[in-house]
Amino acid sequence: MKTKYFQLIFVWFSVTICFSQINFDENQVPDYILPEILLTQNGKKIETSSQWDSIRRPEILDMFKNHVYGDVCDDDIKIKFETTDVDDYALCGKAIRKNVAIHFINGTDTLTANLLIYIPSKHPDGPAPLFLGMNFFGNHTIHYDLSIPISDSYVRNNPGFNIFNNKGTEESRGVRESRWPVERIIDRGYGIATIYYGDIDPDFDDGFKNGLYKLTANCASKNPDKRSSISAWAYALSRAMDYFETDDDINQSQIIVFGHSRLGKVALWAGAVDKRFAIVISNDSGCGGAALSRRKFGETVKQINESFPHWFCKAFKDFNDKEDSLPLDQHMLIGLIAPRPVYVASAENDKWADPKGEYLSLFYSGPVYRLYGLQTFEQDSLPLINKPLWIGNMGYHIRSGDHDITRFDWERYLDFADNHFNKIK
Ligand code: GTR
C-alpha cells in the first residue's frame, strides 16, 4: 500500500514538473526568426513558381526527410490490392462499401492493411471526391456497421472504448463514430476512406521491429536512422492513393487527405510528399504538425521526442531544446503543399497544440502561395473563435472546445472542399 502511495506521488510529481516546464503564456514566447522560406541554401532568392518547384521545394522536402520525418526505403516491397468485400447497399442503400486489403509484400513476408471505403451510391457528377484519413483504434471503431472487419493488429488499450489486452473487440465497434460522420459526408456527395494506423506500424517504441519496417529492414539497414512511424503512416496513405487511381467510382483528382492530432501530422506530411492529394486538412495537429516549433508554446520538440521517440526520425532529437538551430520550421511544411488548398483547424482549449502557432504556419507559408498568384492571410493575429477564415487556397478556424474533431470541423471541411471542387451550385 505504502509503495503504491509513493508511486502515485512520484507520477504526480513528474507530471507537475513536466507541465511546469511547458509554456502556456503568450508573453513568454521567445523572439524567434524563422528560416526564409524563399531563400535557397546557396542564398538564391526564389522569384517564380517554377524556381520554387524545381529548386526550393525539393530542397525543403529533403530537409524534412533528413531532420524531421525520415523516409521509408521501399525498394524491397511490392504492393498488391485485393478487394475483399463490396456491398452496393451499405448504410441502408446510401453508400457502396468496399474493403480493400493492401498487401505489402517482401518475398514470403506480407503485411496487410485494410482500406475501408464508403462511396455515395449516387454520384451523378461522375466518380466521387473522397476524404482519406487514418483512424486510431481500428476501422470498426469509426461506425457501427456490422460488416466492417475487426482489426486484429495491435491496439492501444483504452478501457473507455472496451479495448483491453491490445486487441480490437466487437464491443469497441463504433466507439469513435462521433469523429466520423459517415452518413453526413455521403449526403454531401463525398466518399470517405480510412486505414487503421496500427495496421501499418504499431504506435509504440518497438525499435521498428514490427509493422512495415519489418519488411524494409534490409533496405533500411543502409540508413536505419531515417525510420519513423509518421513516415510509415504517410507512406500508407500514398498507397491508398495508388488504389484510388484504379477505382472508377472514385475521382482520383479530388482526394482530400485529412487527420486529427498525431494523424493530422501524418496528413500534412503525406500531403507534402505526395502532390496527388488535392486538398490537405490538419485538425489539431500541433507540435511536429502545423504548429511552429520555434514558438515553444505548448508541446515542444523535446517533449514530443521524449514521449514518442518513434514518431520522428532520429535526427529530430538533435533539436530538443534547440529549435532555433532547425534549418526549417513548420511554415515550410505548409509551403510544400502549395499551391494546393490547405486547411488548418485548432481548438480554443487545445493549448498543448498551440493554436496560434498552427495559424502562423499558414500565415508564414504565404510567400509560396503568392508565387502562384494566390491571395493569402493578411493578419498575423488569430481569427475570432468559431469564425472560419478562407482566402485563396488557405482555410483556418479556431473552434471553441477541446482537442477533438467535431461536426463543426467537418462542416467547414466539406464547405471548403465544395468551394474548391466547384460544387457550390
Ligand atoms: C499527444 C501528443 C500530441 C498529439 C496527441 C494525439 O499526447 O503530445 O502531439 O499528437 O497526442 O495524437 O492525440
Side-chain angles (χ1 to χ4, degrees):
M1 182 64 202
K2 232 179 179 173
T3 344
K4 200 141 199 195
Y5 182 70
F6 281 119
Q7 270 173 354
L8 274 174
I9 291 196
F10 179 74
V11 169
W12 173 82
F13 198 65
S14 326
V15 170
T16 314
I17 296 252
C18 154
F19 268 79
S20 61
Q21 288 170 344
I22 301 286
N23 172 39
F24 292 110
D25 178 357
E26 194 57 39
N27 297 319
Q28 299 300 321
V29 169
D31 288 336
Y32 58 89
I33 298 172
L34 292 177
E36 280 264 3
I37 199 162
L38 294 185
L39 203 62
T40 69
Q41 279 171 317
N42 296 334
K44 183 179 156 54
K45 178 94 182 143
I46 296 293
E47 274 155 359
T48 65
S49 56
S50 70
Q51 286 173 348
W52 164 262
D53 206 46
S54 62
I55 308 171
R56 186 62 172 150
R57 187 179 187 282
E59 202 173 88
I60 293 178
L61 195 59
D62 271 356
M63 285 197 279
F64 273 107
K65 286 184 181 169
N66 293 332
H67 301 297
V68 185
Y69 302 109
D71 204 1
V72 173
C73 181
D74 69 347
D75 297 358
D76 303 330
I77 295 189
K78 292 204 170 26
I79 309 287
K80 250 196 183 159
F81 302 117
E82 183 193 357
T83 304
T84 55
D85 180 33
V86 179
D87 180 357
D88 290 326
Y89 204 77
L91 311 180
C92 305
K94 251 186 210 301
I96 305 167
R97 185 193 60 250
K98 302 187 185 188
N99 192 82
V100 176
I102 308 180
H103 302 296
F104 301 80
I105 305 164
N106 180 354
T108 52
D109 288 339
T110 301
L111 175 86
T112 298
N114 282 305
L115 172 64
L116 170 69
I117 309 171
Y118 288 99
I119 308 162
S121 307
K122 298 186 199 93
H123 36 89
D125 302 333
L130 176 143
F131 285 86
L132 167 70
M134 291 194 136
N135 68 79
F136 282 88
F137 292 102
N139 291 353
H140 62 285
T141 62
I142 74 142
H143 198 282
Y144 286 103
D145 184 342
L146 292 170
S147 308
I148 306 173
I150 296 198
S151 165
D152 54 11
S153 302
Y154 170 95
V155 198
R156 285 182 295 133
N157 283 336
N158 189 320
F161 292 164
N162 298 311
I163 302 172
F164 305 98
N165 305 318
N166 305 113
K167 281 255 157 282
T169 56
E170 195 55 55
E171 291 70 39
S172 56
R173 192 178 287 286
V175 289
R176 270 299 197 199
E177 63 147 14
S178 72
R179 288 187 176 177
W180 297 83
V182 177
E183 278 85 349
R184 174 67 180 155
I185 294 167
I186 295 286
D187 286 345
R188 295 272 309 244
Y190 290 83
I192 174 128
T194 187
I195 300 176
Y196 169 49
Y197 79 145
D199 279 359
I200 301 297
D201 195 39
D203 192 359
F204 67 95
D205 185 16
D206 63 347
F208 302 113
K209 289 201 173 54
N210 305 290
L212 187 69
Y213 288 109
K214 205 171 154 185
L215 303 179
T216 67
N218 212 4
C219 183
S221 63
K222 290 176 218 143
N223 200 343
D225 297 345
K226 274 255 181 109
R227 294 172 298 179
S228 82
S229 294
I230 289 184
S231 62
W233 296 325
Y235 174 81
L237 291 175
S238 283
R239 304 297 66 80
M241 183 74 210
D242 297 344
Y243 167 77
F244 300 146
E245 291 185 327
T246 70
D247 188 326
D248 292 340
D249 287 326
I250 297 169
N251 187 339
Q252 52 180 270
S253 63
Q254 295 189 340
I255 305 295
I256 306 140
V257 67
F258 78 96
H260 168 66
S261 206
R262 72 197 70 183
L263 299 179
K265 308 181 210 295
V266 174
L268 286 170
W269 181 233
V273 171
D274 193 333
K275 289 182 177 176
R276 295 174 298 171
F277 291 116
I279 299 182
V280 183
I281 295 173
S282 146
N283 193 86
D284 304 355
S285 63
C287 179
L292 290 175
S293 301
R294 278 172 174 75
R295 277 175 44 85
K296 296 185 200 165
F297 186 104
E299 189 172 29
T300 61
V301 170
K302 178 169 184 228
Q303 181 70 41
I304 205 165
N305 278 328
E306 287 182 349
S307 309
F308 309 100
H310 53 296
W311 283 2
F312 300 91
C313 71
K314 190 159 175 248
F316 198 40
K317 282 120 194 130
D318 297 344
F319 301 98
N320 288 353
D321 284 334
K322 293 197 192 107
E323 288 84 350
D324 286 323
S325 47
L326 270 164
L328 44 80
D329 212 314
Q330 299 307 104
H331 64 307
M332 291 155 85
L333 179 66
I334 308 284
L336 292 175
I337 296 164
R340 290 165 293 151
V342 60
Y343 198 112
V344 171
S346 312
E348 189 183 10
N349 300 342
D350 189 15
K351 304 272 186 264
W352 184 243
D354 185 13
K356 186 159 184 199
E358 294 182 311
Y359 172 78
L360 286 177
S361 273
L362 275 175
F363 176 79
Y364 288 118
S365 72
V368 186
Y369 280 85
R370 291 198 287 275
L371 286 177
Y372 289 86
L374 290 158
Q375 279 188 298
T376 57
F377 291 154
E378 282 161 16
Q379 53 171 47
D380 64 2
S381 53
L382 269 177
L384 296 175
I385 308 289
N386 297 331
K387 291 268 178 252
L389 187 67
W390 294 1
I391 295 178
N393 278 359
M394 292 181 167
Y396 177 86
H397 69 248
I398 173 164
R399 158 183 64 70
S400 49
D402 299 329
H403 184 73
D404 197 358
I405 176 163
T406 66
R407 283 298 285 266
F408 179 93
D409 300 316
W410 270 110
E411 292 301 320
R412 305 294 78 75
Y413 303 152
L414 287 157
D415 292 348
F416 188 69
D418 274 2
N419 184 47
H420 288 287
F421 297 153
N422 292 319
K423 281 167 74 78
I424 299 171
K425 303 237 160 85

